[in-house]
Amino acid sequence: EVQLVESGGGLVQAGGSLRLSCTVSGFSFDDYAIGWFRQAPGKEREGVSCIGSRGASTHVADSVKGRFTISRDNAKNTVYLQMNSLKPEDTAVYSCAAGLRYILPLDKEEYDYWGQGTQVTVSS
């Protein structure tokens, strides 16, 4: 059974930080690229950041560049998203996803397996 589970979401004031985790089970974790996506009410799901299977290749959306950092620990089957200097417009459900391809890294169509998401709320 393939499973991705996000954790670390919550309520934080603007300017604060959160660290999201995505823990994967049921398949060979180190073969997969992992992406973080978010969806706010009334908005399309957008790619936030992603990391290649070996961790050498990363991509970050312009909207979060300089504030968010992605990393992975293959020994723990976990990918992290460190979010700093959070803004109210970062409020969304954040989901992680796994895929074998990495051609369009921030395109949701590149990913095959998805977690249920974790809520991030940033207050003013």
Side-chain angles (χ1 to χ4, degrees), residues 27-63:
F27 62 95
S28 298
F29 177 76
D30 59 359
D31 289 338
Y32 283 77
I34 303 294
W36 284 99
F37 297 80
R38 67 185 183 186
Q39 187 168 28
K43 303 290 186 180
E44 295 290 323
R45 182 155 54 186
E46 63 173 337
V48 177
S49 187
C50 53
I51 188 166
S53 61
R54 294 169 176 80
S57 178
T58 63
H59 296 80
V60 183
D62 289 341
S63 59

Side-chain angles (χ1 to χ4, degrees), residues 1 14-15 18 20 25 28 36 45-46 53 55-57 60 62 78 85-88 95 98-99 101 105 113 119 124:
E1 182 75 19
L18 286 172
L20 305 184
S25 62
S28 298
W36 284 99
R45 182 155 54 186
E46 63 173 337
S53 61
S57 178
V60 183
D62 289 341
T78 300
S85 301
L86 283 162
K87 305 174 180 179
S95 301
R101 299 181 300 178
Y113 306 106
Q119 177 71 47
S124 300

Side-chain angles (χ1 to χ4, degrees), residues 1-5 23-28 32 97-98 112-115:
E1 182 75 19
V2 175
Q3 188 174 23
L4 295 86
V5 179
T23 300
V24 178
S25 62
F27 62 95
S28 298
Y32 283 77
D112 303 306
Y113 306 106
W114 293 80

